[in-house]
Amino acid sequence: MRTTFLLSALLVLASSSLSVAGADTVAVQQRGRELLFQSGCHDCHTPGFAMNGGQAPESAWLIGDQLGWNGPWGTSYATNLRLRLNTLSRDEWRAYARVMKARPPMPYWVLNRMSDADLDAIWLAVQALGKAGEPAPAALPPGVEPAGPAVRFPSPPPAVANAGR
């Protein structure tokens, strides 16, 4: 009888801990969703988001885009984050986010400076969305014209262009 009571008590405690952990996960995922908006991730990684006043169906969130970003670096395309982040463990994502460098207009320095808690929240939010869409087109080197639509950037002013050297 006493063993049954102890096992029952342990099961109750374990199930209440799981519901608290589940609630914490939901709160962290929600924080990640907010960070995706506040950090501007959707602006490029969700097709049509910026042109549609920040509106897009959740099914289109972060699936990358066929719109190219063309400048002196060549042409870059916004990665399908739902495919990319769903191949990485949380630790792999953190390590990647800390050192990644990208072609313009990706503000990779923002990602490099995020806290572990914010990176974890983004990772959980994207994990919850699941895989969707197709890979974005491969980047093109300077001098190669993109086949599809592209936003064209001028060369930076000389003072700015030489600032990072």
Side-chain angles (χ1 to χ4, degrees), residues 31-52:
R31 171 78 178 131
R33 291 167 70 98
E34 283 303 314
L35 285 166
L36 290 166
F37 280 92
Q38 294 171 6
S39 299
C41 302
H42 287 293
D43 295 356
C44 297
H45 294 276
T46 298
F49 185 83
M51 284 81 69
N52 198 29

Side-chain angles (χ1 to χ4, degrees), residues 60-113:
W61 286 6
L62 309 173
I63 63 170
D65 203 347
Q66 301 294 310
L67 177 64
W69 300 90
N70 180 269
W73 62 87
T75 304
S76 51
Y77 296 88
T79 303
N80 181 329
L81 297 178
R82 289 173 67 167
L83 295 180
R84 178 73 174 128
L85 268 68
N86 276 288
T87 65
L88 300 175
S89 71
R90 186 182 313 222
D91 289 339
E92 290 169 332
W93 161 240
R94 280 184 184 178
Y96 175 74
R98 293 275 174 254
V99 299
M100 73 92 64
K101 302 282 186 259
R103 293 177 176 198
M106 174 62 192
Y108 60 85
W109 51 90
V110 173
L111 194 60
N112 296 161
R113 293 178 181 162

